[in-house]
Amino acid sequence: MTGATATGIATWQRPTDAEAVIRIRWRNYHCRITGVDGDAMTFARPCWTNSASGTDRTGPSWDSTTVDSARYSGVAFFENAPELLDEPGEFVWNSEARTVTYLPRPGENMRRARAVTPHTEQLLLVDGAHDITVSGIGFAYAAYRQPGTDEGYAGTQAGLTLTGATGPVDHAGRFYTKPAAAVTVRGGRNIDIDNARFDRLGGAGAILEAGTRDSSLTRSSFTDLSSGAVYVGDTEPMPGPELAGERNTVAYNTISRTGVEYTDSVGIWAGYEAELTIDHNSLDRLPYSGISVGWGWNQPEAQKSVLRDNEVTNNRITDVMQVAQEQHDGGAIYTQGAQPGTVISGNYVNRSAFGNTERDGNGIYLDEQSSHILVEKNVVTRVGYKWISNWADYGIRNTARGNWTDTAAPALGGTGSVMTDNRTGLDRLPAEALAVAGRAGARGGPVEQLRTDLARTGTATQSSTEGAAGPALALDADTTTDTRTRSETGARWQVDLGDERRVRRIEIWNDASATTADFDVVTDDGTIHVSGKALRPTVLDLDSRTRTVKIVTSGTGRVALSQVFVHP
């Protein structure tokens, strides 16, 4: 990579202690600098090789999401250099002197400070045991050493990484590596972990793998974890009988602020599992997807697997797919693969990728070969793209029925998939939906009621029209359809509310493929200027009495919108 001169890295005292952190779509990469020669930097291998295109190892052959792809937009940040210490609470590690330099927060007395340096990766390992209960134990300060080695962190999806300099072509992810976890259960039978606490961990919380069956993780809390909270199962689609995960339960747990460092990780991940129950968990403030079940993408190896009869029920998933972390193409609930008998029901999803910059932050995302899945009686609100997404033709016979949501979505893809009796485009949640959402999660909780949309009954016009993208498409409660003007000076879209109304909030949802940027929002009694690109959505709080709401470009450009909400 070039750029050592412009960034100042060429003059750093110890650039080889620093690493680049790169985020591309759903992937996250952390690779250490190994040398600087003029403007050029080299990076540790195999980390860089496993993060780059053209190796046939980045699976599933999506070189478009590697560190040297067309989607690459630069390093998110470099870390671990004393020259970067500029905010209280930051620290750097000097590998030669074996010292830590820390910039204290206000009020911290370093003479009385206590530092904890994690060393052990696994605090509890249960291997091949049965009939054991682990209850009321706290797990903290476990290490995750792989990212600090030449392996680095070549993220693939959901916190799993590609390791090793050589190996079989692995486009189905069969040989990807899970993160280190504080608690690991391998091949367990009737292992119950209850009322545990997982916090301040360098890797993941708990892993149930290698044929663990009839085991549970319940009533536990997970917070401040560098990776994901819970990993269940493995990445082999047709494991031998002794390695098949069956009848495991993850229930009544609270998961918050995980994926703090490795932002491609998810709250709860499950690979090829059967009769798995993920029930009444509360997941909040996560950088990427909340719950992920299934694996293998569209690869032939994944077309027949042990996946079946899984239940994702009554979970509360809020503020996930966080915009600041820039991890795209996921959802609050995410699936892959044919899963006959699998049910997603009674979940409350609120604010998944809300304020996104791309049109791919979903509520319930039936990705790739997701098939034979029932999505029923879920409440899905304020998502950055589709409330349900099933785009792939090779995902078949999925059913979405009886759900409540504030937006619409295209018909499900694939043969035999249907949508029926869903309440879409709501601007108020009915009592039944409020009850479902209020019961969801480890202890239930509040429900963010929707706001009435005054624009919905208004009349939309625009200064010009490009193609068939008429102005009314911004009033149809469908954030996947777009209105668009031609590129022109003073391009304008407006809605006439029919009468003067009290307006306290306006939401402007961008058409991400034809960005609206640098524009004015004009009411009858004022103007608000928005610099830069509109988001999904840009939210403006105001106190106005107006009959019209106009969106006008500041210079020459186009207005391209998927939705405008006007709330009293």
Side-chain angles (χ1 to χ4, degrees):
M1 180 189 295
T2 58
T5 302
T7 59
I9 293 173
T11 63
W12 287 0
Q13 296 176 19
R14 293 188 56 78
T16 54
D17 274 346
E19 67 181 24
V21 179
I22 298 170
R23 298 172 182 144
I24 306 175
R25 302 282 285 168
W26 62 90
R27 297 190 170 188
N28 194 203
Y29 304 96
H30 297 239
C31 288
R32 182 175 54 83
I33 299 172
T34 55
V36 176
D37 183 5
D39 193 47
M41 292 170 280
T42 56
F43 292 85
R45 288 184 170 87
C47 182
W48 199 254
T49 303
N50 290 337
S51 304
S53 62
T55 64
D56 205 29
R57 287 181 47 72
T58 56
S61 66
W62 289 328
D63 280 357
S64 64
T65 57
T66 58
V67 298
D68 51 358
S69 69
R71 280 198 173 266
Y72 170 75
S73 58
V75 176
F77 55 88
F78 289 90
E79 64 181 3
N80 201 46
E83 291 83 358
L84 299 176
L85 284 177
D86 59 355
E87 294 184 14
E90 292 182 341
F91 64 91
V92 296
W93 160 249
N94 185 313
S95 63
E96 182 179 40
R98 300 188 63 78
T99 58
V100 172
T101 301
Y102 174 64
L103 190 60
R105 298 181 179 92
E108 289 182 333
N109 186 335
M110 298 312 296
R111 293 181 179 179
R112 296 199 300 267
R114 174 175 175 262
V116 178
T117 306
H119 176 73
T120 302
E121 288 189 312
Q122 294 177 320
L123 304 183
L124 174 64
L125 172 61
V126 180
D127 197 345
H130 61 87
D131 299 293
I132 291 176
T133 297
V134 178
S135 181
I137 298 178
F139 300 92
Y141 301 117
Y144 180 18
R145 293 206 211 94
Q146 176 195 306
T149 69
D150 286 350
E151 291 281 6
Y153 186 94
T156 55
Q157 188 168 329
L160 280 76
T161 58
L162 181 58
T163 58
T166 60
V169 173
D170 191 18
H171 293 172
R174 296 171 69 179
F175 305 105
Y176 290 170
T177 302
K178 299 188 195 81
V183 174
T184 299
V185 179
R186 294 176 179 160
R189 301 289 187 271
N190 298 301
I191 308 298
D192 299 317
I193 303 170
D194 181 67
N195 194 29
R197 187 184 72 250
F198 297 82
D199 60 0
R200 293 161 290 173
L201 299 175
I207 294 175
L208 311 179
E209 64 179 3
T212 293
R213 298 179 187 171
D214 301 301
S215 298
S216 65
L217 175 54
T218 55
R219 298 190 305 160
S220 297
S221 64
F222 300 79
T223 188
D224 194 11
L225 276 58
S226 291
S227 188
V230 181
Y231 288 78
V232 185
D234 295 288
T235 56
E236 172 56 54
M238 292 295 289
E242 290 302 308
L243 293 176
E246 298 177 349
R247 298 179 300 278
N248 294 307
T249 297
V250 180
Y252 290 92
N253 302 290
T254 58
I255 298 170
S256 178
R257 290 178 51 248
T258 63
V260 171
E261 188 167 3
Y262 306 108
T263 54
D264 58 335
S265 59
V266 303
I268 300 171
W269 177 89
Y272 292 101
E273 285 282 299
E275 298 181 66
L276 170 68
T277 297
I278 302 176
D279 180 64
H280 275 100
N281 300 284
S282 293
L283 300 94
D284 181 55
R285 288 177 292 167
L286 306 183
Y288 183 50
S289 297
I291 297 171
S292 176
V293 179
W295 201 243
W297 301 281
N298 62 350
Q299 301 303 304
E301 303 97 311
Q303 291 177 0
K304 292 184 179 180
S305 80
V306 297
L307 270 170
R308 62 174 176 83
D309 299 311
N310 299 309
E311 296 183 357
V312 181
T313 53
N314 308 306
N315 299 285
R316 172 179 294 264
I317 308 170
T318 54
D319 289 298
V320 298
M321 296 288 299
Q322 291 179 313
V323 174
Q325 306 302 332
E326 297 183 335
Q327 301 284 187
H328 300 290
D329 203 1
I333 299 173
Y334 176 93
T335 66
Q336 288 187 36
Q339 305 188 34
T342 288
V343 175
I344 300 172
S345 178
N347 301 284
Y348 174 45
V349 172
N350 189 48
R351 295 183 182 267
S352 173
F354 189 78
N356 205 348
T357 56
E358 293 195 37
R359 299 200 300 177
D360 60 4
N362 302 286
I364 298 171
Y365 190 1
L366 310 180
D367 198 13
E368 295 293 346
Q369 297 184 84
S370 294
S371 302
H372 310 290
I373 297 173
L374 172 62
V375 179
E376 183 177 40
K377 293 185 177 180
N378 302 280
V379 179
V380 184
T381 54
R382 295 179 177 85
V383 299
Y385 193 30
K386 300 176 185 177
W387 74 267
I388 186 168
S389 177
N390 174 211
W391 63 272
D393 289 340
Y394 42 78
I396 64 171
R397 301 193 182 281
N398 296 305
T399 299
R401 69 187 184 201
N403 300 280
W404 299 272
T405 179
D406 53 348
T407 62
L412 300 180
T415 303
S417 293
V418 296
M419 301 172 73
T420 181
D421 297 326
N422 298 295
R423 297 283 304 278
T424 63
L426 297 171
D427 65 354
R428 299 293 289 175
L429 290 174
E432 187 179 0
L434 290 171
V436 169
R439 290 191 298 265
R443 292 180 292 274
V447 179
E448 186 177 3
Q449 178 58 283
L450 300 173
R451 289 174 174 248
T452 300
D453 180 21
L454 301 176
R456 192 160 305 183
T457 57
T459 301
T461 57
Q462 59 192 34
S463 57
S464 62
T465 299
E466 183 178 85
L473 292 176
L475 301 181
D476 62 358
D478 186 346
T479 58
T480 68
T481 61
D482 306 301
T483 181
R484 190 177 304 175
T485 70
R486 293 191 294 269
S487 183
E488 58 195 14
T489 301
R492 172 187 52 79
W493 177 95
Q494 80 167 39
V495 59
D496 185 335
L497 304 177
D499 199 358
E500 183 181 272
R501 305 296 298 270
R502 185 77 171 269
V503 173
R504 294 185 178 274
R505 174 171 291 179
I506 299 172
E507 295 182 13
I508 301 162
W509 292 69
N510 195 20
D511 170 3
S513 63
T515 304
T516 303
D518 295 319
F519 58 93
D520 292 325
V521 179
V522 182
T523 62
D524 293 349
D525 56 4
T527 298
I528 300 174
H529 181 70
V530 177
S531 299
K533 297 178 181 179
L535 304 176
R536 298 183 60 81
T538 292
V539 178
L540 302 177
D541 289 315
L542 69 166
D543 189 357
S544 174
R545 297 197 67 87
T546 187
R547 174 170 175 162
T548 62
V549 175
K550 302 176 185 178
I551 298 171
V552 185
T553 56
S554 299
T556 299
R558 60 163 52 92
V559 176
L561 304 168
S562 62
Q563 193 70 26
V564 177
F565 295 104
V566 178
H567 300 303

